[in-house]
Amino acid sequence: MNSGGNIVAVDPKAPDPLVISQAADLLRRGDIVAFPTETVYGLGGNALEESAVRRIFEAKGRPSHNPLIVHVASIEAARALTKGWSESAERLARKFWPGPLTLVLPKAVEVPDLVTAGLPTVGIRVPRHPVTFALLTAVELPVAAPSANRSGEVSPTTAQHVARSLGDRVPLILDAGPTDIGIESTVVDVSGDTAILLRPGVISSEQLAEIVGPLKTLSAASPDAPLPSPGMLDRHYAPRTPLRLFETAQRSAVESEIQRAKAQGKRVGVLAWSKEVNGGDPLIILPASPLAAARILYSVLHRLDDEGCELILVERPPTEPRWAALRDRLERAARP
Ligand code: TXA
Ligand code: MG
């Protein structure tokens, strides 16, 4: 359990330099620190020190085949971690950094194999949160940071989510309040001729295509193919409570199911976009804009997990491209 003693509040816009230097010292000593980014909270360690990276994997219980994203403060620092910075990388970095975009590129020899799970490529991101920026600037090291949750769980969007998931496994959690974007960065492989979308996010593939032309999309359809992004096929982003998706057209069947569960004294939580769904306990209506829905989705899932529901039923988001990232996260969460 967590005593809360390791959570330190920081102003999200003007972080206290003393707190930042305390966090930077921990990182320089090879320790791990949880910190906010604009997407979700990350669990960071010195990316160039294998023992620090091992601590991250251990704290999360993360399988070693799933590579970590390395966070840096500038394009120059990103380039130094790569071997062969592509034209597409340059254009995307100039357009979207700092911001919620991770670029996958051939890695420099200095990047330990443990960070990249043995892959010849490394995922890199320049975050735009002032606290992350201050920390990366102070520490002057690349910081490997996956989302700050136990492996497989819903990513944290508050310091309290981090504390509940990782407990006392992390000596310091910087608390700058809820994150702005609420879901993880878009991940795009720009190591080859055509950019490949590995994980959708709030920067959409349409926005990326405007800069680098049409993207290939990672398909989970061919299980025998080598995995371009190993972590992407695991069950992921999932609450502990079983979660199932339903189509808007199945509404009345869903309502009957909720009634049957209720008769047996069981609670079914419902997340929906249509206001017409009846009977969820609790029933949470999500915002009609994808950005607003992304911002609150994980905190709603964390909350439902704490409510002790038997089952969480989620209405499938609309099929338009702008809902791609939310659809992706919910489909992963629904995987058995
Ligand atoms: O928004 C985010 O990206 C957050 C914040 C903390 O920056 N981080 C995050 O990290 O979501 P994580 O470890 O939970 O997810 C990283 C994803 C994984 O699915 C991993 O497979 C993929 O990025 N990835 C990392 N390096 C890769 C590489 N070299 N090749 C392919 N995929 C990679
Ligand atoms: Mg994660």
Side-chain angles (χ1 to χ4, degrees), residues 40-41 60 62 66-67 69 145-156 184 199 236-237 298:
V40 299
Y41 276 71
K60 279 183 63 87
R62 180 163 176 133
N66 195 355
I69 295 172
S147 52
N149 52 278
R150 300 268 182 113
S151 185
E153 288 180 0
V154 177
S155 292
E184 305 82 355
R199 178 172 72 185
H236 227 97
Y237 314 101
Y298 287 170

Side-chain angles (χ1 to χ4, degrees), residues 36-297:
T37 80
E38 72 277 28
T39 56
V40 299
Y41 276 71
L43 179 64
N46 179 357
L48 302 179
E49 194 181 315
E50 226 179 270
S51 61
V53 177
R54 193 165 295 117
R55 279 190 170 175
I56 299 173
F57 276 97
E58 281 167 7
K60 279 183 63 87
R62 180 163 176 133
S64 56
H65 67 260
N66 195 355
L68 306 183
I69 295 172
V70 181
H71 299 68
V72 289
S74 67
I75 294 185
E76 293 66 44
R79 192 199 284 262
L81 297 171
T82 69
K83 180 180 75 190
W85 180 257
S86 63
E87 176 63 26
S88 307
E90 179 70 17
R91 295 169 71 162
L92 291 175
R94 295 221 167 271
K95 173 79 183 172
F96 294 110
W97 281 355
L101 178 68
T102 296
L103 298 176
V104 171
L105 285 148
K107 81 173 192 75
V109 285
E110 293 79 17
V111 180
D113 287 331
L114 196 58
V115 171
T116 66
L119 291 173
T121 53
V122 58
I124 312 171
R125 177 162 111 76
V126 177
R128 72 161 184 243
H129 196 295
V131 171
T132 336
F133 183 77
L135 182 59
L136 292 170
T137 307
V139 73
E140 293 182 300
L141 285 168
V143 173
S147 52
N149 52 278
R150 300 268 182 113
S151 185
E153 288 180 0
V154 177
S155 292
T157 57
T158 67
Q160 289 69 35
H161 296 156
V162 178
R164 261 184 273 152
S165 182
L166 294 174
D168 292 330
R169 293 169 174 220
V170 45
L172 176 63
I173 303 170
L174 298 179
D175 179 1
T179 60
D180 180 38
I181 289 174
I183 59 170
E184 305 82 355
S185 62
T186 306
V187 181
V188 54
D189 182 327
V190 281
S191 64
D193 292 336
T194 308
I196 308 170
L197 182 70
L198 297 177
R199 178 172 72 185
V202 299
I203 294 178
S204 68
S205 64
E206 289 70 26
Q207 282 173 287
L208 299 170
E210 275 174 28
I211 311 296
V212 295
L215 279 77
K216 276 194 250 175
T217 304
L218 172 66
S219 148
S222 52
D224 299 334
L227 301 182
S229 188
M232 299 310 296
L233 300 181
D234 294 343
R235 180 174 191 261
H236 227 97
Y237 314 101
R240 294 180 300 276
T241 313
L243 181 151
R244 220 178 65 216
L245 300 178
F246 67 91
E247 306 289 344
T248 310
Q250 296 172 320
R251 219 173 57 212
S252 50
V254 159
E255 285 167 1
S256 318
E257 183 175 353
I258 296 168
Q259 290 315 321
R260 279 197 303 277
K262 208 175 247 175
Q264 294 169 17
K266 292 176 181 163
R267 289 177 63 190
V268 176
V270 174
L271 268 184
W273 272 274
S274 336
K275 302 204 172 39
E276 298 82 19
V277 181
N278 289 310
D281 180 20
L283 166 64
I284 296 168
I285 302 293
L286 288 162
S289 110
L291 286 182
R295 186 172 296 137
I296 63 161
L297 177 70

